[in-house]
Structure formats: structure tokens, C-alpha cells
Amino acid sequence: MSAGLAGLAGSIFGLFRAVIAPNNFGFELSITFLLAVTMGGRKSRIGPIIGAIIVVFLPNLLADIHLFRVIAGVIAGIAVVAGGIVM
């Protein structure tokens, strides 16, 4: 199943680029794939998808400082509440 999805993604990439060459897949792209799998976990099917979402949206999130502060505040609030429940 994963080979079929990888083949589909490769064919869409080929149509998008109009040519497939070795320089299309550089070191930065390899590190991005590795980071997505590492962040999501490799032992589950949904993990790499979640990792890829994080890797794609994190730079956009960090670019908007106001949005970043709001989300950081919400995460800190959830951590404080969860810590209070555990204690």
C-alpha cells in the first residue's frame, strides 16, 4: 500500500516538475522527510503524517509572532491544568 502511494506521489511530482532529475531531491529534502518521520514516529501509520503536518506548518506558525504567542499560551495553559490534575 505504501509503495502504491509513493508511486502516485512520484508521478504527481513528475507531472508538476515536467522532468525528474537527481538534483530535484537534494540533501535538504531528505532531511525534511527524515524529520517528519522522526517527529511523528515510525511505528504507526498516522505518525509520519502528523510529523509531516508539523514540519510543513511550523515555519508558517513561527513567522506570525502573534499567532505563535497565542498558541504557546494555550499550550502552557493546558500544561498547567494537566499538571494540576495529576498532582
Side-chain angles (χ1 to χ4, degrees):
M1 184 171 186
S2 65
L5 290 174
L8 178 65
S11 64
I12 292 171
F13 182 78
L15 287 172
F16 175 71
R17 290 285 183 152
V19 66
I20 296 177
N23 60 357
N24 289 343
F25 303 99
F27 183 70
E28 181 180 328
L29 189 60
S30 299
I31 295 299
T32 303
F33 292 150
L34 181 64
L35 182 63
V37 171
T38 303
M39 288 186 76
R42 63 179 178 87
K43 292 192 177 190
S44 68
R45 292 183 180 162
I46 195 75
I49 294 171
I50 293 171
I53 290 170
I54 291 170
V55 168
V56 168
F57 289 122
L58 190 62
N60 296 330
L61 175 68
L62 294 176
D64 186 8
I65 191 69
H66 177 69
L67 180 62
F68 176 72
R69 287 181 180 169
V70 169
I71 291 175
V74 169
I75 291 173
I78 291 172
V80 167
V81 170
I85 292 173
V86 171
M87 293 284 185

Coordinates of all heavy atoms in Angstrom, one line a residue:
M1 N 0.8 -1.2 0.0 CA 0.0 0.0 0.0 C 0.9 1.3 0.0 O 0.6 2.2 -0.7 CB -0.9 0.0 1.2 CG -1.9 1.1 1.3 SD -3.1 0.8 2.6 CE -4.2 2.1 2.3
S2 N 1.9 1.2 0.8 CA 2.8 2.4 0.9 C 3.6 2.6 -0.4 O 3.8 3.7 -0.9 CB 3.8 2.3 2.0 OG 4.7 1.2 1.9
A3 N 3.9 1.5 -1.1 CA 4.6 1.6 -2.4 C 3.7 2.2 -3.4 O 4.1 3.0 -4.3 CB 5.1 0.2 -2.8
G4 N 2.4 1.9 -3.4 CA 1.5 2.5 -4.3 C 1.3 4.0 -4.1 O 1.2 4.7 -5.1
L5 N 1.2 4.4 -2.8 CA 1.1 5.8 -2.5 C 2.4 6.5 -2.9 O 2.3 7.7 -3.4 CB 0.8 6.0 -1.0 CG -0.6 5.6 -0.6 CD1 -0.7 5.7 0.9 CD2 -1.7 6.4 -1.3
A6 N 3.5 5.9 -2.7 CA 4.8 6.5 -3.1 C 4.9 6.7 -4.6 O 5.3 7.7 -5.1 CB 6.0 5.7 -2.5
G7 N 4.4 5.7 -5.3 CA 4.4 5.8 -6.8 C 3.5 6.9 -7.3 O 3.8 7.6 -8.2
L8 N 2.3 7.0 -6.6 CA 1.4 8.0 -7.0 C 2.0 9.4 -6.7 O 1.9 10.3 -7.6 CB 0.1 7.9 -6.2 CG -1.0 8.9 -6.5 CD1 -1.5 8.9 -7.9 CD2 -2.1 8.7 -5.5
A9 N 2.6 9.5 -5.6 CA 3.2 10.8 -5.3 C 4.4 11.1 -6.2 O 4.5 12.3 -6.7 CB 3.8 10.8 -3.8
G10 N 5.1 10.1 -6.6 CA 6.2 10.4 -7.6 C 5.7 10.8 -9.0 O 6.2 11.6 -9.7
S11 N 4.6 10.1 -9.4 CA 4.0 10.5 -10.7 C 3.4 11.9 -10.7 O 3.6 12.7 -11.6 CB 2.9 9.5 -11.1 OG 1.8 9.6 -10.2
I12 N 2.8 12.3 -9.6 CA 2.3 13.7 -9.5 C 3.5 14.7 -9.4 O 3.4 15.7 -10.0 CB 1.4 13.8 -8.2 CG1 0.1 13.0 -8.4 CG2 1.1 15.3 -7.9 CD1 -0.7 12.9 -7.2
F13 N 4.5 14.3 -8.7 CA 5.7 15.2 -8.7 C 6.3 15.3 -10.1 O 6.7 16.4 -10.5 CB 6.8 14.6 -7.7 CG 8.0 15.4 -7.6 CD1 8.0 16.6 -6.8 CD2 9.2 15.1 -8.2 CE1 9.1 17.3 -6.7 CE2 10.3 15.8 -8.1 CZ 10.3 17.0 -7.3
G14 N 6.4 14.2 -10.8 CA 6.9 14.3 -12.2 C 6.1 15.2 -13.1 O 6.6 15.9 -13.9
L15 N 4.7 15.1 -12.9 CA 3.9 16.0 -13.7 C 4.1 17.4 -13.3 O 4.0 18.3 -14.2 CB 2.4 15.6 -13.6 CG 2.0 14.3 -14.2 CD1 0.6 13.9 -13.8 CD2 2.1 14.4 -15.7
F16 N 4.3 17.7 -12.1 CA 4.4 19.0 -11.6 C 5.7 19.6 -12.1 O 5.8 20.8 -12.5 CB 4.4 19.0 -10.0 CG 4.7 20.4 -9.4 CD1 3.7 21.4 -9.5 CD2 5.8 20.6 -8.7 CE1 4.0 22.6 -8.9 CE2 6.1 21.8 -8.2 CZ 5.2 22.8 -8.3
R17 N 6.8 18.9 -12.0 CA 8.1 19.4 -12.4 C 8.4 19.3 -13.9 O 9.3 19.9 -14.4 CB 9.2 18.6 -11.7 CG 9.3 18.9 -10.2 CD 10.0 20.2 -10.0 NE 10.1 20.4 -8.6 CZ 11.0 21.2 -8.1 NH1 11.9 21.8 -8.9 NH2 11.1 21.4 -6.8
A18 N 7.7 18.4 -14.6 CA 7.8 18.1 -16.0 C 9.1 17.4 -16.4 O 9.2 16.9 -17.5 CB 7.8 19.4 -16.9
V19 N 10.0 17.2 -15.4 CA 11.2 16.4 -15.6 C 11.7 15.9 -14.2 O 11.6 16.7 -13.3 CB 12.3 17.1 -16.4 CG1 12.8 18.3 -15.6 CG2 13.4 16.2 -16.8
I20 N 12.2 14.7 -14.2 CA 12.7 14.2 -12.9 C 14.2 14.1 -13.1 O 14.7 13.3 -13.9 CB 12.1 12.9 -12.5 CG1 10.6 13.1 -12.2 CG2 12.7 12.3 -11.2 CD1 9.8 11.8 -11.9
A21 N 14.9 14.8 -12.3 CA 16.4 14.7 -12.3 C 16.9 14.5 -10.9 O 16.3 14.8 -9.9 CB 16.9 16.0 -12.9
P22 N 18.2 14.0 -10.8 CA 18.7 13.8 -9.4 C 18.8 15.0 -8.6 O 18.7 14.9 -7.3 CB 20.1 13.2 -9.7 CG 20.0 12.7 -11.1 CD 19.0 13.5 -11.8
N23 N 19.0 16.2 -9.2 CA 19.1 17.4 -8.3 C 17.8 17.9 -7.8 O 17.8 18.8 -7.0 CB 19.8 18.5 -9.1 CG 19.0 18.9 -10.4 OD1 18.0 18.3 -10.7 ND2 19.6 19.9 -11.1
N24 N 16.7 17.2 -8.2 CA 15.4 17.6 -7.6 C 15.3 17.1 -6.1 O 14.5 17.7 -5.3 CB 14.2 17.0 -8.4 CG 14.0 17.6 -9.7 OD1 14.5 18.7 -9.9 ND2 13.3 16.9 -10.6
F25 N 16.0 16.1 -5.8 CA 15.9 15.5 -4.4 C 17.3 15.8 -3.7 O 18.2 14.9 -3.7 CB 15.6 14.0 -4.5 CG 14.4 13.7 -5.2 CD1 14.4 13.3 -6.6 CD2 13.2 13.8 -4.6 CE1 13.2 13.0 -7.2 CE2 12.0 13.6 -5.3 CZ 12.0 13.2 -6.6
G26 N 17.4 16.9 -3.2 CA 18.6 17.3 -2.5 C 18.7 16.9 -1.1 O 17.8 16.2 -0.5
F27 N 19.8 17.3 -0.4 CA 20.0 17.0 1.0 C 18.9 17.6 1.9 O 18.5 16.9 2.8 CB 21.4 17.5 1.4 CG 21.8 17.1 2.8 CD1 22.1 15.8 3.1 CD2 21.8 18.1 3.7 CE1 22.4 15.4 4.4 CE2 22.2 17.7 5.0 CZ 22.5 16.4 5.4
E28 N 18.5 18.8 1.6 CA 17.5 19.5 2.4 C 16.2 18.7 2.4 O 15.5 18.5 3.4 CB 17.3 20.9 1.9 CG 16.3 21.7 2.7 CD 16.1 23.1 2.2 OE1 17.1 23.7 1.7 OE2 15.0 23.6 2.3
L29 N 15.8 18.2 1.2 CA 14.5 17.5 1.1 C 14.6 16.1 1.9 O 13.7 15.7 2.5 CB 14.2 17.2 -0.3 CG 12.8 16.6 -0.6 CD1 11.7 17.6 -0.1 CD2 12.6 16.4 -2.1
S30 N 15.8 15.5 1.8 CA 16.0 14.2 2.6 C 15.9 14.5 4.1 O 15.3 13.7 4.8 CB 17.3 13.6 2.2 OG 17.4 13.3 0.8
I31 N 16.5 15.5 4.5 CA 16.4 15.9 5.9 C 15.0 16.2 6.3 O 14.5 15.9 7.4 CB 17.4 17.0 6.3 CG1 18.8 16.6 6.1 CG2 17.2 17.5 7.7 CD1 19.2 15.4 6.9
T32 N 14.2 16.9 5.5 CA 12.8 17.2 5.8 C 12.0 15.9 5.9 O 11.2 15.8 6.9 CB 12.2 18.1 4.7 OG1 13.0 19.2 4.5 CG2 10.8 18.4 5.0
F33 N 12.2 14.9 5.1 CA 11.5 13.6 5.2 C 11.9 12.9 6.5 O 11.0 12.4 7.2 CB 11.8 12.7 4.0 CG 11.2 13.2 2.7 CD1 11.8 12.9 1.5 CD2 10.0 14.0 2.6 CE1 11.3 13.4 0.3 CE2 9.5 14.4 1.5 CZ 10.1 14.1 0.3
L34 N 13.2 12.9 6.8 CA 13.6 12.3 8.0 C 13.1 12.9 9.2 O 12.7 12.3 10.2 CB 15.2 12.3 8.0 CG 15.8 11.6 9.2 CD1 15.5 10.1 9.2 CD2 17.3 11.8 9.2
L35 N 13.0 14.2 9.2 CA 12.5 15.0 10.3 C 11.0 14.7 10.5 O 10.5 14.5 11.6 CB 12.7 16.5 10.1 CG 12.2 17.4 11.2 CD1 13.0 17.1 12.5 CD2 12.4 18.9 10.8
A36 N 10.2 14.6 9.4 CA 8.8 14.3 9.5 C 8.6 12.9 10.1 O 7.7 12.7 11.0 CB 8.2 14.4 8.2
V37 N 9.4 11.9 9.7 CA 9.2 10.6 10.3 C 9.6 10.5 11.7 O 9.0 9.9 12.5 CB 10.0 9.6 9.4 CG1 10.0 8.2 10.0 CG2 9.4 9.5 8.0
T38 N 10.7 11.2 12.0 CA 11.2 11.2 13.4 C 10.2 11.9 14.4 O 10.0 11.4 15.4 CB 12.6 11.9 13.5 OG1 13.5 11.3 12.6 CG2 13.2 11.9 14.9
M39 N 9.7 13.0 13.9 CA 8.7 13.7 14.8 C 7.5 13.0 15.0 O 6.9 13.0 16.1 CB 8.4 15.1 14.2 CG 9.6 16.1 14.4 SD 9.1 17.7 13.9 CE 8.2 18.2 15.3
G40 N 7.0 12.3 14.0 CA 5.7 11.6 14.1 C 5.8 10.2 14.7 O 4.9 9.6 15.2
G41 N 7.0 9.6 14.5 CA 7.2 8.2 14.9 C 7.0 7.3 13.8 O 6.1 7.4 12.9
R42 N 7.8 6.3 13.7 CA 7.8 5.4 12.5 C 7.1 4.1 12.8 O 6.9 3.3 11.9 CB 9.3 5.1 12.1 CG 10.0 4.3 13.1 CD 11.4 4.0 12.6 NE 12.2 3.3 13.6 CZ 12.2 2.0 13.8 NH1 11.5 1.2 13.0 NH2 12.9 1.4 14.7
K43 N 6.6 3.9 14.0 CA 5.9 2.6 14.3 C 4.4 2.7 14.1 O 3.7 1.7 14.3 CB 6.2 2.2 15.7 CG 7.7 1.8 15.8 CD 7.9 1.1 17.1 CE 9.4 0.6 17.1 NZ 9.7 -0.2 18.2
S44 N 3.9 3.8 13.7 CA 2.4 3.9 13.5 C 2.2 4.5 12.1 O 3.1 5.0 11.5 CB 1.8 4.9 14.5 OG 2.2 6.2 14.3
R45 N 1.0 4.3 11.6 CA 0.7 4.8 10.2 C 0.4 6.2 10.2 O 0.7 6.9 9.2 CB -0.5 4.0 9.7 CG -0.1 2.6 9.4 CD -1.2 1.8 8.8 NE -0.8 0.4 8.6 CZ -1.6 -0.5 8.3 NH1 -2.9 -0.3 8.3 NH2 -1.2 -1.8 8.2
I46 N -0.2 6.7 11.3 CA -0.6 8.1 11.3 C 0.6 9.0 11.8 O 0.6 10.2 11.5 CB -1.9 8.3 12.2 CG1 -2.5 9.7 11.9 CG2 -1.5 8.2 13.6 CD1 -3.3 9.8 10.7
G47 N 1.6 8.5 12.4 CA 2.7 9.3 13.0 C 3.4 10.1 12.0 O 3.6 11.3 12.1
P48 N 3.9 9.5 10.9 CA 4.6 10.3 9.9 C 3.7 11.4 9.2 O 4.2 12.4 8.8 CB 5.1 9.3 8.8 CG 5.2 8.0 9.6 CD 4.1 8.1 10.6
I49 N 2.4 11.1 9.1 CA 1.5 12.1 8.6 C 1.5 13.3 9.5 O 1.6 14.5 9.1 CB 0.1 11.5 8.3 CG1 0.2 10.5 7.2 CG2 -0.9 12.6 7.9 CD1 -1.0 9.7 7.1
I50 N 1.3 13.1 10.8 CA 1.3 14.1 11.8 C 2.7 14.9 11.8 O 2.7 16.1 11.9 CB 1.0 13.6 13.2 CG1 -0.5 13.1 13.2 CG2 1.2 14.6 14.3 CD1 -0.8 12.3 14.5
G51 N 3.8 14.1 11.7 CA 5.1 14.7 11.7 C 5.2 15.6 10.4 O 5.8 16.7 10.5
A52 N 4.7 15.2 9.3 CA 4.8 16.0 8.1 C 4.0 17.3 8.2 O 4.4 18.3 7.8 CB 4.3 15.2 6.9
I53 N 2.8 17.2 8.9 CA 2.0 18.4 9.1 C 2.7 19.3 10.0 O 2.8 20.5 9.7 CB 0.6 18.0 9.7 CG1 -0.2 17.2 8.7 CG2 -0.1 19.2 10.2 CD1 -1.5 16.6 9.2
I54 N 3.4 18.8 11.0 CA 4.2 19.7 11.9 C 5.3 20.4 11.1 O 5.5 21.6 11.3 CB 4.7 18.9 13.1 CG1 3.5 18.5 14.0 CG2 5.7 19.7 13.9 CD1 3.9 17.5 15.1
V55 N 6.0 19.6 10.4 CA 7.2 20.1 9.6 C 6.8 21.2 8.6 O 7.4 22.2 8.4 CB 8.0 19.0 9.0 CG1 9.0 19.5 8.0 CG2 8.7 18.1 10.0
V56 N 5.6 21.0 8.0 CA 5.1 21.9 6.9 C 4.6 23.2 7.6 O 4.9 24.3 7.1 CB 4.1 21.2 6.0 CG1 3.4 22.3 5.2 CG2 4.7 20.2 5.2
F57 N 3.8 23.1 8.6 CA 3.1 24.2 9.2 C 4.0 25.0 10.3 O 3.7 26.1 10.6 CB 1.8 23.8 9.8 CG 0.8 23.5 8.8 CD1 0.2 22.3 8.8 CD2 0.4 24.4 7.8 CE1 -0.8 22.0 7.8 CE2 -0.5 24.1 6.8 CZ -1.1 22.9 6.8
L58 N 5.0 24.4 10.8 CA 5.8 25.0 11.8 C 6.5 26.3 11.4 O 6.4 27.3 12.1 CB 6.8 24.0 12.4 CG 7.6 24.5 13.7 CD1 6.6 24.8 14.8 CD2 8.6 23.5 14.1
P59 N 7.1 26.3 10.2 CA 7.7 27.6 9.7 C 6.7 28.7 9.6 O 6.9 29.9 9.9 CB 8.4 27.3 8.4 CG 8.6 25.8 8.5 CD 7.5 25.2 9.3
N60 N 5.5 28.4 9.1 CA 4.4 29.4 8.9 C 3.9 29.8 10.3 O 3.6 31.0 10.4 CB 3.2 28.8 8.1 CG 3.6 28.5 6.7 OD1 4.5 29.1 6.1 ND2 3.0 27.5 6.1
L61 N 3.9 28.9 11.2 CA 3.4 29.3 12.6 C 4.4 30.2 13.2 O 4.1 31.2 13.9 CB 3.2 28.0 13.4 CG 2.9 28.2 14.9 CD1 1.5 28.8 15.0 CD2 3.0 26.9 15.6
L62 N 5.7 30.0 13.1 CA 6.7 30.8 13.7 C 6.9 32.1 13.0 O 7.5 33.0 13.6 CB 8.1 30.0 13.7 CG 8.1 28.8 14.6 CD1 9.4 28.1 14.4 CD2 7.8 29.1 16.0
A63 N 6.4 32.3 11.8 CA 6.6 33.5 11.0 C 5.6 34.6 11.6 O 5.9 35.8 11.6 CB 6.3 33.3 9.6
D64 N 4.5 34.2 12.1 CA 3.5 35.1 12.7 C 3.6 35.1 14.2 O 3.2 34.2 14.9 CB 2.1 34.7 12.3 CG 1.0 35.7 12.7 OD1 1.4 36.8 13.2 OD2 -0.2 35.4 12.6
I65 N 4.3 36.1 14.8 CA 4.6 36.1 16.2 C 3.4 36.2 17.1 O 3.3 35.6 18.1 CB 5.6 37.3 16.5 CG1 6.1 37.1 17.9 CG2 4.9 38.6 16.3 CD1 7.0 36.0 18.1
H66 N 2.3 36.9 16.6 CA 1.1 37.0 17.4 C 0.4 35.6 17.5 O 0.0 35.2 18.6 CB 0.1 38.0 16.8 CG -1.2 38.1 17.6 ND1 -1.2 38.6 18.8 CD2 -2.4 37.7 17.2 CE1 -2.5 38.6 19.3 NE2 -3.2 38.0 18.3
L67 N 0.3 34.9 16.4 CA -0.3 33.6 16.4 C 0.5 32.6 17.3 O 0.0 31.8 18.0 CB -0.4 33.1 15.0 CG -1.0 31.7 14.8 CD1 -2.5 31.7 15.4 CD2 -1.0 31.3 13.4
F68 N 1.9 32.8 17.2 CA 2.7 31.9 18.0 C 2.5 32.2 19.5 O 2.5 31.2 20.3 CB 4.2 32.2 17.6 CG 5.2 31.4 18.4 CD1 5.3 30.1 18.3 CD2 5.9 32.1 19.4 CE1 6.2 29.4 19.1 CE2 6.8 31.4 20.2 CZ 7.0 30.0 20.0
R69 N 2.4 33.4 19.9 CA 2.2 33.7 21.3 C 0.9 33.2 21.8 O 0.8 32.7 22.9 CB 2.3 35.2 21.5 CG 3.7 35.8 21.4 CD 3.7 37.2 21.7 NE 5.1 37.7 21.6 CZ 5.4 39.0 21.5 NH1 4.4 39.9 21.6 NH2 6.6 39.4 21.4
V70 N -0.2 33.3 21.0 CA -1.5 32.7 21.4 C -1.4 31.2 21.5 O -1.9 30.7 22.6 CB -2.6 33.1 20.3 CG1 -3.9 32.4 20.6 CG2 -2.8 34.6 20.4
I71 N -0.8 30.5 20.6 CA -0.7 29.1 20.6 C 0.2 28.6 21.8 O -0.2 27.7 22.5 CB -0.3 28.5 19.3 CG1 -1.4 28.7 18.3 CG2 0.1 27.0 19.4 CD1 -1.0 28.3 16.9
A72 N 1.3 29.3 22.0 CA 2.2 29.0 23.1 C 1.4 29.2 24.5 O 1.6 28.4 25.4 CB 3.4 29.8 23.1
G73 N 0.6 30.2 24.6 CA -0.1 30.5 25.8 C -1.2 29.4 26.0 O -1.3 28.9 27.2
V74 N -1.8 28.9 25.0 CA -2.8 27.9 25.1 C -2.1 26.6 25.5 O -2.6 25.9 26.4 CB -3.6 27.7 23.8 CG1 -4.4 26.4 23.8 CG2 -4.5 28.9 23.5
I75 N -1.0 26.3 24.9 CA -0.3 25.0 25.3 C 0.2 25.1 26.7 O 0.2 24.1 27.5 CB 0.9 24.8 24.3 CG1 0.4 24.4 22.9 CG2 1.8 23.7 24.8 CD1 1.4 24.3 21.9
A76 N 0.7 26.3 27.2 CA 1.2 26.4 28.5 C 0.0 26.3 29.5 O 0.1 25.7 30.6 CB 1.9 27.8 28.7
G77 N -1.2 26.9 29.2 CA -2.3 26.7 30.0 C -2.8 25.3 30.1 O -3.1 24.8 31.2
I78 N -2.7 24.5 29.0 CA -3.1 23.1 29.1 C -2.1 22.4 29.9 O -2.5 21.5 30.7 CB -3.2 22.5 27.7 CG1 -4.4 23.1 26.9 CG2 -3.2 21.0 27.7 CD1 -4.4 22.8 25.4
A79 N -0.8 22.7 29.9 CA 0.2 22.0 30.7 C 0.0 22.3 32.1 O 0.1 21.4 33.0 CB 1.6 22.4 30.2
V80 N -0.4 23.5 32.5 CA -0.6 23.9 33.9 C -1.8 23.1 34.4 O -1.8 22.6 35.5 CB -0.7 25.4 34.1 CG1 -1.3 25.8 35.4 CG2 0.6 26.1 33.8
V81 N -2.9 23.1 33.7 CA -4.1 22.4 34.1 C -3.8 20.9 34.2 O -4.3 20.3 35.2 CB -5.3 22.7 33.1 CG1 -6.5 21.8 33.4 CG2 -5.7 24.2 33.2
A82 N -3.1 20.3 33.3 CA -2.8 18.9 33.3 C -1.9 18.6 34.5 O -2.1 17.6 35.2 CB -2.2 18.5 32.0
G83 N -1.0 19.5 34.8 CA -0.1 19.3 36.0 C -0.9 19.4 37.3 O -0.6 18.7 38.2
G84 N -1.9 20.3 37.3 CA -2.7 20.4 38.5 C -3.6 19.2 38.7 O -3.9 18.8 39.8
I85 N -4.1 18.6 37.6 CA -4.9 17.4 37.7 C -4.1 16.2 38.2 O -4.6 15.5 39.0 CB -5.6 17.1 36.4 CG1 -6.6 18.2 36.1 CG2 -6.3 15.8 36.4 CD1 -7.3 18.1 34.7
V86 N -2.9 16.1 37.7 CA -2.0 15.0 38.1 C -1.6 15.1 39.6 O -1.6 14.1 40.3 CB -0.8 14.9 37.2 CG1 0.2 13.9 37.7 CG2 -1.2 14.6 35.8
M87 N -1.4 16.3 40.1 CA -0.9 16.5 41.4 C -2.1 16.2 42.3 O -2.3 15.8 43.3 CB -0.4 17.9 41.7 CG 0.9 18.1 41.0 SD 2.2 17.3 41.9 CE 3.6 17.8 41.0

